[in-house]
Amino acid sequence: MRRLLGAALLFSTLAACSNSNSSPDSSPTSSPDSSPASGEPARSPDSTPNPELRLLPLDYKFENPIAGAALPGNDSLLIAERAGRVILVNRSDAGRVTSTETALDIEKLVGSSDSERGLLGIAVRPDGSELFVSYTSAQDGSSQLDSYKLKGDQVEPSSRKSVLSVEQPYENHNGGHIAFGPDGFLYMSLGDGGSSGDPDGNAQNREVLLGKILRLDPDAEQAVAADNPFVDTPRAQPQIWLTGVRNPWRFSFDSATGDLWVGDVGESQTEEINFLPASQGGGRGANLGWDIYEGTAEFEDPNPAAGASSAGPFTEPLVSYSHDDGCSVTGGVVYRGKAIPALQGAYLYTDFCNPELQTIRLDPDPRVEPLGVELPSTVGFFEDSSGEILVISLTEGVFQLVDQT
């Protein structure tokens, strides 16, 4: 089982196995730019090298930063700390930190940040009118999604509104990432509920929200987007966008194409990156295979739900790698900024246990290359309002990727 090491651990998982004897009837289907059957993409020595890059730290001592978001139309950032604070970081045009302040403090709502709990994700509505926060509740450990009104860069703490609440049976596999898609809806990842091996078969069960990525309309009743793929499916939860994920730790949309990229943390063998092109629905109704598959291989002890949601077809990952190269994938973002032209269109990601940042390029086959910079304990990537990339380390702080050539 994957494990995050060190005193400031973000995640630790249990090593139990499920007891189902069922097996899949379908094999994974390859997405358009899918990896070979082994899941191991080529590493090309003849490809154009990345420019000479470095990570420039933001001049502020964050306490276990976990997620970030840009404020639309300016250089300011919001950085979430795992214990429950959201820090406003004001920057100059050159990217230098000019001032900081606590924008929101929900430590009493969050309570424990043990195991994989805490404040896990933040997102700003594209028009800048609301801040959304995703966290586990101090009361019972359930996953909570709340909204707060934003006026400029100021959060109104008294405006808190509950958008969604989901019970969690265990302390791990909470997911919790949130981001607005190109369609204006809010997407949220939820892990399979935890323990080990998805013992309740949640990921393949459309009757529960665990083990899914959701597509939400925060203004609608129960946050249901009216045209979601399972709205008219009997007994299915209408918020579901896609199924079959274990613990999606960071997903993102390519700001140029709308393609959806998902980093899904594996069990004991394999980490994976999933690519869901907008031209083919951007993951609408897709089944990424857990816990029938871990990566491209059949999971050793699956416990899927009976019924149509377990019958496939299954979408195979674009890239997967073994635990020889890491332990817990951290999904990233596609670079669409202007400051580093050589990175245009490259997807950046890493692993919590491997400090080397990586890129994936579609040429058209996936090609993995090292970025040439390292950062330990990386838990997230996000874009500022200009499309430049910031990288978050749980232990080291927040950094902007810059070209030093």
Side-chain angles (χ1 to χ4, degrees):
M1 223 4 276
R2 60 178 269 247
R3 208 161 280 186
L4 303 192
L5 309 174
L9 294 186
L10 173 60
F11 303 122
S12 65
T13 52
L14 305 177
C17 293
S18 62
N19 297 312
S20 170
N21 292 320
S22 60
S23 61
D25 296 322
S26 305
S27 298
T29 59
S30 299
S31 56
D33 292 300
S34 64
S35 58
S38 66
E40 300 287 345
R43 293 176 179 262
S44 172
D46 299 322
S47 57
T48 302
N50 288 316
E52 189 174 353
L53 304 173
R54 73 183 183 101
L55 293 169
L56 181 68
L58 295 188
D59 188 17
Y60 181 82
K61 188 173 178 58
F62 297 99
E63 296 182 12
N64 292 338
I66 193 74
L71 288 174
N74 61 57
D75 294 315
S76 296
L77 308 171
L78 293 171
I79 306 296
E81 296 179 333
R82 188 182 172 199
R85 289 198 309 163
V86 180
I87 308 298
L88 171 66
V89 179
N90 295 309
R91 300 188 301 165
S92 67
D93 291 341
R96 301 286 182 181
V97 174
T98 57
S99 64
T100 61
E101 62 181 86
T102 299
L104 181 68
D105 188 339
I106 59 169
E107 289 189 27
K108 291 183 178 179
L109 295 176
V110 172
S112 173
S113 56
D114 293 339
S115 186
E116 297 179 17
R117 292 177 170 175
L119 176 55
L120 301 175
I122 59 174
V124 175
R125 195 184 279 265
D127 65 3
S129 64
E130 284 181 285
L131 170 68
F132 293 82
V133 295
S134 168
Y135 63 97
T136 52
S137 169
Q139 183 175 2
D140 57 8
S142 59
S143 290
Q144 300 292 324
L145 176 64
D146 293 349
S147 70
Y148 292 85
K149 291 182 180 178
L150 262 176
K151 288 189 175 180
D153 59 9
Q154 299 299 305
V155 181
E156 296 184 13
S158 63
S159 66
R160 173 177 167 244
K161 181 179 71 173
S162 176
V163 177
L164 192 69
S165 177
V166 181
E167 292 184 7
Q168 288 284 356
Y170 300 97
E171 294 183 351
N172 58 337
H173 299 188
N174 298 299
H177 185 59
I178 53 175
F180 278 91
D183 53 9
F185 290 104
L186 182 62
Y187 290 71
M188 180 180 186
S189 65
L190 289 172
D192 63 12
S195 185
S196 176
D198 193 9
D200 299 323
N202 289 322
Q204 290 295 323
N205 185 357
R206 294 177 186 159
E207 296 182 28
V208 299
L209 295 176
L210 299 175
K212 315 293 189 298
I213 290 181
L214 314 180
R215 179 176 179 257
L216 307 172
D217 181 351
D219 302 319
E221 184 176 357
Q222 297 184 317
V224 175
D227 60 345
N228 274 353
F230 304 114
V231 164
D232 297 321
T233 302
R235 295 186 298 183
Q237 293 294 317
Q239 297 92 345
I240 295 172
W241 180 247
L242 62 79
T243 65
V245 290
R246 181 178 177 274
N247 192 25
W249 189 246
R250 304 313 184 200
F251 63 86
S252 65
F253 294 91
D254 185 333
S255 60
T257 66
D259 298 334
L260 174 59
W261 295 76
V262 182
D264 195 17
V265 175
E267 179 84 4
S268 57
Q269 301 292 328
T270 306
E271 305 298 308
E272 66 181 66
I273 297 288
N274 298 276
F275 173 65
L276 301 155
S279 62
Q280 298 192 13
R284 178 182 178 85
N287 187 334
L288 303 191
W290 175 255
D291 71 334
I292 297 173
Y293 289 92
E294 181 184 6
T296 58
E298 292 185 21
F299 182 53
E300 60 187 2
D301 193 8
N303 185 29
S309 59
S310 297
F314 303 103
T315 300
E316 119 181 336
L318 178 75
V319 167
S320 61
Y321 60 91
S322 77
H323 283 190
D324 291 338
D325 296 319
C327 74
S328 177
V329 68
T330 297
V333 295
V334 175
Y335 181 77
R336 294 297 181 185
K338 296 181 179 179
I340 314 175
L343 274 187
Q344 191 63 218
Y347 176 77
L348 279 65
Y349 74 100
T350 190
D351 188 284
F352 189 88
C353 297
N354 185 340
E356 189 174 52
L357 274 61
Q358 306 283 348
T359 65
I360 300 174
R361 298 177 187 268
L362 305 175
D363 300 333
D365 295 324
R367 188 177 78 242
V368 174
E369 299 174 328
L371 186 63
V373 294
E374 296 187 352
L375 184 65
S377 306
T378 299
V379 291
F381 298 75
F382 71 102
E383 298 170 274
D384 68 12
S385 59
S386 300
E388 302 305 320
I389 290 178
L390 291 105
V391 190
I392 303 172
S393 164
L394 188 69
T395 58
E396 307 302 314
V398 182
F399 299 78
Q400 181 167 344
L401 184 66
V402 297
D403 186 353
Q404 62 179 357
T405 55

